Amino acid sequence: MKKVITYGTFDLLHVGHINILRRAKECGDYLIVAISSDHFNAIKEKEAYYSFEQRKVILEAIRYVDEVIPEHNWEQKVEDVQKHDVDVFVMGDDWKGKFDFLEDYCEVVYLPRTVGISTTKIKSDLNQTNNG
């Protein structure tokens, strides 16, 4: 079985998230999604609308996702790859080059992001609607 892992916050789920999850799953047979814990988001100064537990439940309901694990810090990726026998690490191409160090442990794939959609854009659009 070929295992794939990807990382993210996956807050305010949108078509871009679904696209990357679908394409990540196409890279193997079993997709693990590591989502940022609430504590890790606080360290990154990133505020998610949904809690870790809520985001986990949402992701577990998506047919492309086989397993959801917490991401507690930037440094855990090598450990996750080894612990879960991961063959392919997948991230959006906005991170291109940032995780090449994982090539010592698995294949690293950067997938193109869906144009015109992001959680940041959704939050901005909603803010403009509420202020308009």
Side-chain angles (χ1 to χ4, degrees):
M1 178 178 3
K2 191 172 185 182
K3 289 187 177 182
V4 180
I5 195 166
T6 192
Y7 288 76
T9 301
F10 293 96
D11 191 32
L12 300 181
L13 200 67
H14 54 71
V15 70
H17 290 133
I18 299 301
N19 286 340
I20 199 146
L21 293 170
R22 177 183 44 78
R23 291 181 291 162
K25 178 68 176 231
E26 290 170 356
C27 292
D29 306 301
Y30 188 89
L31 177 60
I32 301 166
V33 180
I35 59 172
S36 301
S37 68
D38 296 332
H39 179 72
F40 187 39
N41 275 337
I43 291 169
K44 296 187 292 183
E45 298 181 358
K46 187 173 192 175
E47 188 176 343
Y49 180 79
Y50 291 111
S51 71
F52 169 83
E53 287 302 327
Q54 290 169 319
R55 290 179 285 122
K56 184 176 187 289
V57 167
I58 292 166
L59 281 168
E60 288 172 338
I62 296 170
R63 67 178 172 182
Y64 308 116
V65 178
D66 296 294
E67 184 178 351
V68 179
I69 63 172
E71 178 185 25
H72 298 292
N73 58 63
W74 292 111
E75 296 78 27
Q76 79 181 62
K77 289 175 179 63
V78 170
E79 180 182 326
D80 287 346
V81 167
Q82 292 175 324
K83 177 180 175 185
H84 296 280
D85 297 317
V86 169
D87 301 290
V88 184
F89 172 91
V90 172
M91 285 297 281
D93 63 2
D94 53 325
W95 291 93
K96 193 166 184 78
K98 298 274 196 264
F99 299 106
D100 290 353
F101 66 91
L102 289 170
E103 290 176 347
D104 291 342
Y105 305 94
C106 63
E107 180 183 355
V108 176
V109 175
Y110 298 101
L111 296 174
R113 291 179 59 100
T114 303
V115 176
I117 187 78
S118 71
T119 301
T120 302
K121 182 180 182 330
I122 291 170
K123 286 180 178 179
S124 174
D125 290 350
L126 288 173
N127 192 39
Q128 289 175 4
T129 300
N130 291 335
N131 292 331

